[in-house]
Amino acid sequence: LRAPDGAFALLGHLRQRSLKVKAGEWVEAGQVVAACGNSGRSAQPHLHLQMQSLGDLGAPTRPLHLRSVVVQAKAGESGDYSLSARPAEGELVAAALSDGRLAEALHLPAGRTLLFEGEGARPTLAVELSLLGEFRLSAGKGAVASFDERPDVLAFYDRQGPRAPCLDTWLLAVGLTPFSGSARAWSDAPPVTLAPLGLLDRLALVVLRPFGATFDSRYRRDWDAARNAWRQQGEHRLALLPGYTIEAASEAIIEPGTGVREIEVACRNARRRFTLRSVGSVGDIGVPELAGPAVSSS
């Protein structure tokens, strides 16, 4: 299979006469192209997969990564979800199949508004679509974060603008959220400034990390039967100096059919918590008119 960058994926030891595609045909992720078999020099039915530079047998191989998988170091151990993995020898890899209920609950269409309550206020987060086709979650006054919503994951990036407690709590709690029910643990590196930092911590970051810093974050998600919701918790840590560490904890309650019901983050003695009160939408008003010179026809 020829990839868009010119590399080739080799699938070997397929079952004879099981091909579902023809030469020159375009294929997509998830499409069945053949059946696993035992053809060629093979001791048992299996799939040989490798990336290579050319389309010839024996061509030099290239590094390969797998998208959206759960990786286990040993059988029986809990696995970690990885958005882009290069498994080591002996590791067990399984596709992180999407959970439709989770994907639906976290779906953020353009125009969606989320009214929260907390911190003595009722902040609103709104989903916007830029003129360049980029989806953004906005808290108003220029506080925004861009995001990608793929079939397998919801991922936020490029936080811009002033501090916005509700938006920052959202980003720390659900900034990277896989849609797979088998994805129970994963890692991320969100900006430290998303946490409710005190003055001393902010000054330390300016002096010790003037170009920015990220947490070493570990997330875990479990189904809470009592609440009929997913409970997603994060532990965030940044070691600035020996004996001086910034630590924070986050939590999100995600309900089927409703979405993110509660978000919370705690750092030292500071704590933020927001509860969803209503979900709305804003209609499309079209592309705004751009001012320019008058044009007349003759």
Side-chain angles (χ1 to χ4, degrees):
L1 305 179
R2 187 174 186 271
D5 65 353
F8 289 83
L10 170 67
L11 308 179
H13 306 297
L14 303 176
R15 183 187 301 173
Q16 294 184 15
R17 295 180 291 279
S18 70
L19 289 176
K20 306 295 183 183
V21 293
K22 298 180 180 179
E25 182 178 343
W26 288 95
V27 297
E28 299 179 353
Q31 179 178 342
V32 176
V33 297
C36 178
N38 198 27
S39 60
R41 297 181 59 186
S42 170
Q44 64 276 323
H46 73 288
L47 175 67
H48 179 109
L49 168 64
Q50 69 182 42
M51 294 298 295
Q52 52 189 56
S53 302
L54 301 173
D56 302 321
L57 290 175
T61 59
R62 294 175 50 166
L64 168 68
H65 73 271
L66 302 176
R67 177 182 172 86
S68 220
V69 294
V70 175
V71 182
Q72 293 177 274
K74 296 180 180 179
E77 294 184 356
S78 59
D80 273 14
Y81 171 84
S82 178
L83 187 61
S84 179
R86 290 179 61 182
E89 183 176 352
E91 290 182 331
L92 304 177
V93 183
L97 301 178
S98 180
D99 184 324
R101 293 191 309 160
L102 189 56
E104 181 182 5
L106 291 167
H107 179 46
L108 295 174
R112 174 68 52 86
T113 58
L114 306 170
L115 175 62
F116 285 89
E117 184 174 23
E119 298 289 297
R122 304 193 78 184
T124 297
L125 302 181
V127 181
E128 303 175 344
L129 183 61
S130 73
L131 295 178
L132 298 178
E134 183 179 61
F135 281 86
R136 300 184 300 186
L137 189 62
S138 170
K141 299 182 180 181
V144 299
S146 301
F147 70 89
D148 273 338
E149 184 180 328
R150 302 292 181 89
D152 53 354
V153 71
L154 177 66
F156 290 83
Y157 62 96
D158 195 21
R159 170 70 169 91
Q160 296 184 12
R163 280 185 282 176
C166 185
L167 176 61
D168 291 341
T169 302
W170 173 288
L171 297 177
L172 199 58
V174 295
L176 176 66
T177 300
F179 293 151
S180 173
S182 61
R184 310 220 11 219
W186 63 92
S187 300
D188 195 20
V192 176
T193 51
L194 296 177
L197 303 176
L199 179 59
L200 178 61
D201 288 336
R202 291 189 178 276
L203 290 175
L205 286 173
V206 170
V207 174
L208 300 174
R209 300 292 177 89
F211 300 108
T214 59
F215 277 122
D216 176 14
S217 298
R218 287 284 298 167
Y219 290 88
R220 181 170 183 84
R221 182 174 62 216
D222 296 288
W223 176 256
D224 188 336
R227 303 191 63 164
N228 193 35
W230 291 279
R231 186 182 184 197
Q232 184 165 300
Q233 297 175 295
E235 296 181 354
H236 317 277
R237 189 175 188 274
L238 171 65
L240 285 173
L241 291 172
Y244 184 17
T245 301
I246 299 176
E247 294 181 330
S250 65
E251 180 176 281
I253 303 299
I254 307 170
E255 293 182 353
T258 301
V260 179
R261 170 66 69 180
E262 297 176 12
I263 47 177
E264 183 176 353
V265 61
C267 182
R268 302 197 193 280
N269 296 323
R271 182 179 297 271
R272 298 179 189 147
R273 184 183 181 188
F274 297 91
T275 302
L276 183 69
R277 290 307 179 198
S278 65
V279 178
S281 62
V282 177
D284 184 6
I285 59 175
V287 178
E289 182 179 358
L290 300 179
V295 178
S296 60
S297 59
S298 59

